[in-house]
Amino acid sequence: MSSSSSSSSSYYVTTPIYYVNDAPHLGHAYTTVAGDVLTRWHRLRGERVWYLTGTDEHGQKIMRTAEANGVTPQQWADKLVTEAWQPLWDHLEIGYDDFIRTTQKRHTDRVQEFVQDLYDKGEVYKGGYEGPYCVGCEEYKLPSELIDGEGEYAGQKLCPIHRKPVEILKEENYFFRLSEYGDRLLAHYEANPGFIQPESARNEVVNFVRRGLQDLSISRSTFDWGIPVPWDHQHVIYVWVDALLNYATAAGYNENREKFADTFPADVHLVGKDILRFHAVIWPAMLMAQGLPLPGRIAANGWLMVGGEKMSKSNLTGIKPQDLTAHFGVDAYRWYFLRAIAFGQDGSFSWEDFSARYTSELANDYGNLASRVAAMVGKYFGGTLPAATADGEAEAAVHAGLARAVAEADRRIGDELDFQGGILAVFDFVRQVNGYLTEQEPWKVAKDESEAGRARLATVLYTAAESLRAVAVLLSPVMPETSRTLWDSLGAEASLGPLAEQRIQDAGRWGTLPAGSTVTKGAVLFPRLEEKPTA
């Protein structure tokens, strides 16, 4: 657990708030599904959870996009949120507790109060600045960060992330005294080595801060789509200052003292590595300036790559999540990216890899196990789960395997944000149960109609069904719909109540599924894939 959480406060997880200049792609969904799995896991622990996501609706990039589409920025934001962002999160079963939009009054008023307070404390001053600016990043760049353009951009300097030419901006701005916080930030990083993850990201930030920080321009005067600076309406607040404050304003900053005390700061900020510095340098410095507590952990995920390039609309490798869910299903989609890619590292997506893993691990290992067990309970015991009365060494090994899977998955997902490792721990157990059935050969045991033979058959099938009951609980944060389907087919809803009320300790408690439960062979969990659709 992160250092800021306690038993009395909510476990608070955030995603970045996403620019509404375009519809969401796989990269956005990757971070958001990860946050959903993490918060569902902590609910599985019995903790109170608060999961925040939302949209970033100010700034020059959105203003230009709206102009290009012949509408106002607010009209553009409203359209994208209601027609693209929120429908996709609902489609992917993202169980967020709040969806904040930076154009909402609950946010804009609090941002003005926060910035006014910094100004009153002398943390903000007026000055001039000229330098290369990337509209895509909404950020001034250091000349050393830029790359040389080629082809159509030959002779120009490009943003290394968007690979588009930067603009030279010169304007009078208000500045936050970021340069004064370098030592305090470094001290915090050293005292809290898990504050920035993974370690490679931490090292990058530490080295950046050690080179010396420049004061941060926190206003813009060359355009007007933003929150006005409260003491000078010729300026709007820099979109990143506006955006970062969503983590405080949504939690009740200056508005709901009780909620703020219960929720803030975040236990985990999930971010893409390209926006790590904003979250690991600027955000904590802003909080230090206000005397507010710092988040427990800033976890940077890597980039999703297609054809060796970061996935984004700007390089035309953006793929709609619905393209994949239509073919593989929502649960398989949620599972695949967290299973295939180590969180925090870059990972490559391919349709072929997804298909292979779906068939091998989901359909053959997991789905086939569920189908076989239900079919055999139906065939040999009329669909009524028998009691296990002849446990032996083979069953003891399965019991021990489950205990290992629960402990490892809980540690890896709940504490370490190692989604891949946690999922693999559960699927190792699934494979163990498959191996157990192969070794015990219940279809052969069924031919022995003696009392001992029936007891042995009952024990084998109970062991397999009880294992699946535990797997349904463990995989419910990752694949909620599939887990509910399996839960129902095992008759667990009738005897144990809703899957949503189960806890981690229940998953590992052997013998929870009562004998006498009605097991039915429901829908195939992972149907055979049709041919890959053509473009």
Side-chain angles (χ1 to χ4, degrees):
M1 301 272 297
S2 63
S3 59
S4 69
S5 65
S6 70
S7 58
S8 61
S9 61
S10 298
Y11 185 78
Y12 177 23
V13 176
T14 74
T15 71
I17 51 172
Y18 303 107
Y19 276 131
V20 290
N21 60 309
D22 213 329
H25 58 60
L26 294 184
H28 303 120
Y30 175 56
T31 308
T32 312
V33 169
D36 185 63
V37 171
L38 179 62
T39 48
R40 284 177 185 266
W41 195 274
H42 280 264
R43 287 191 181 97
L44 205 57
R45 285 180 167 182
E47 298 172 20
R48 287 189 302 116
V49 165
W50 202 56
Y51 184 32
L52 174 69
T53 190
T55 44
D56 186 357
E57 302 180 11
H58 290 129
Q60 193 172 21
K61 181 162 58 174
I62 289 163
M63 185 180 74
R64 289 182 178 179
T65 302
E67 289 172 350
N69 284 273
V71 295
T72 68
Q74 187 66 66
Q75 288 171 328
W76 180 257
D78 291 345
K79 176 181 174 64
L80 264 288
V81 169
T82 58
E83 295 181 10
W85 290 89
Q86 288 181 326
L88 177 62
W89 294 164
D90 292 342
H91 175 62
L92 295 178
E93 289 211 47
I94 305 297
Y96 56 81
D97 297 287
D98 193 4
F99 188 103
I100 191 163
R101 300 178 57 183
T102 57
T103 52
Q104 292 171 333
K105 186 174 173 59
R106 62 165 173 157
H107 175 74
T108 58
D109 287 356
R110 303 291 87 77
V111 169
Q112 287 188 312
E113 291 165 5
F114 189 101
V115 173
Q116 179 72 58
D117 198 27
L118 287 181
Y119 183 70
D120 293 345
K121 290 177 176 176
E123 295 283 350
V124 171
Y125 65 91
K126 197 171 190 178
Y129 193 81
E130 180 177 9
Y133 190 80
C134 172
V135 174
C137 291
E138 298 278 11
E139 180 188 22
Y140 280 108
K141 297 293 184 180
L142 296 173
S144 60
E145 294 179 295
L146 303 179
I147 60 175
D148 293 324
E150 298 177 353
E152 64 175 311
Y153 299 135
Q156 300 183 68
K157 292 292 186 179
L158 311 186
C159 166
I161 294 172
H162 290 91
R163 298 183 180 274
K164 295 285 181 66
V166 294
E167 302 176 16
I168 301 300
L169 290 189
K170 182 178 182 179
E171 57 183 335
E172 188 179 59
N173 295 330
Y174 288 94
F175 288 81
F176 168 56
R177 300 184 190 277
L178 181 63
S179 61
E180 297 182 5
Y181 287 89
D183 289 344
R184 287 181 63 182
L185 288 168
L186 290 171
H188 186 77
Y189 303 153
E190 184 172 352
N192 300 275
F195 179 65
I196 303 168
Q197 294 179 345
E199 189 175 357
S200 58
R202 180 184 185 276
N203 293 340
E204 176 194 319
V205 170
V206 169
N207 290 335
F208 175 76
V209 176
R210 280 179 178 161
R211 289 196 295 268
L213 297 175
Q214 296 182 336
D215 288 347
L216 176 70
S217 170
I218 67 161
S219 74
R220 297 289 181 268
S221 57
T222 53
F223 59 92
D224 62 1
W225 180 239
I227 301 173
V229 170
W231 63 88
D232 185 348
H233 285 195
Q234 299 301 309
H235 292 249
V236 294
I237 295 168
Y238 174 40
V239 67
W240 266 105
V241 172
D242 165 4
L244 288 165
L245 280 167
N246 93 90
Y247 305 131
T249 61
Y253 172 75
N254 264 17
E255 187 173 29
N256 186 331
R257 184 174 298 177
E258 184 178 344
K259 179 182 179 182
F260 193 69
D262 178 70
T263 310
F264 196 84
D267 291 272
V268 180
H269 287 310
L270 297 175
V271 303
K273 67 179 183 179
D274 51 336
I275 56 173
L276 176 62
R277 289 182 192 173
F278 296 101
H279 288 81
V281 179
I282 296 172
W283 177 227
M286 289 166 55
L287 294 173
M288 287 175 175
Q290 288 285 40
L292 292 171
L294 271 56
R297 184 173 2 183
I298 297 163
N301 61 257
W303 286 337
L304 289 185
M305 316 292 280
V306 173
E309 290 193 18
K310 178 195 172 191
M311 188 173 300
S312 68
K313 289 291 182 183
S314 60
N315 66 16
L316 304 181
T317 56
I319 298 172
K320 291 193 300 183
Q322 296 92 328
D323 296 339
L324 297 182
T325 60
H327 185 68
F328 296 99
V330 170
D331 271 12
Y333 175 95
R334 290 170 58 97
W335 166 87
Y336 170 75
F337 289 98
L338 296 182
R339 184 263 173 265
I341 300 167
F343 196 77
Q345 299 178 18
D346 293 346
S348 293
F349 161 77
S350 78
W351 193 282
E352 292 72 22
D353 183 62
F354 196 162
S355 296
R357 292 185 190 277
Y358 177 101
T359 300
S360 172
E361 298 178 40
L362 294 184
N364 293 350
D365 288 347
Y366 183 24
N368 189 42
L369 174 63
S371 295
R372 292 166 70 200
V373 172
M376 286 189 285
V377 173
K379 180 177 181 179
Y380 301 128
F381 292 94
T384 299
L385 184 67
T389 58
D391 281 353
E393 289 184 8
E395 288 69 43
V398 174
H399 303 171
L402 175 60
R404 282 194 305 273
V406 171
E408 185 167 357
D410 191 30
R411 173 176 59 84
R412 288 186 178 270
I413 296 176
D415 295 336
E416 300 173 3
L417 276 62
D418 177 5
F419 302 101
Q420 183 186 64
I423 290 169
L424 289 176
V426 179
F427 273 78
D428 282 345
F429 177 65
V430 169
R431 280 187 286 274
Q432 181 184 358
V433 178
N434 273 311
Y436 165 80
L437 284 182
T438 299
E439 292 171 2
Q440 300 306 312
E441 300 180 312
W443 46 90
K444 289 186 178 179
V445 176
K447 296 175 182 177
D448 180 356
E449 297 183 359
S450 69
E451 185 176 338
R454 290 294 288 174
R456 186 72 202 135
L457 178 62
T459 298
V460 171
L461 294 184
Y462 179 85
T463 299
E466 170 65 348
S467 297
L468 283 169
R469 188 271 318 164
V471 169
V473 176
L474 291 172
L475 291 180
S476 62
V478 183
M479 296 188 281
E481 183 180 358
T482 301
S483 293
R484 287 191 293 266
T485 300
L486 177 57
W487 190 253
D488 290 344
S489 81
L490 293 170
E493 180 88 16
S495 55
L496 300 175
L499 178 59
E501 295 178 3
Q502 303 303 302
R503 298 292 174 256
I504 286 288
Q505 58 266 34
D506 299 323
R509 189 177 293 121
W510 190 266
T512 297
L513 186 62
S517 297
T518 300
V519 177
T520 54
K521 196 173 188 301
V524 175
L525 295 185
F526 301 101
R528 182 175 175 274
L529 294 174
E530 301 299 324
E531 289 298 313
K532 176 182 175 181
T534 55

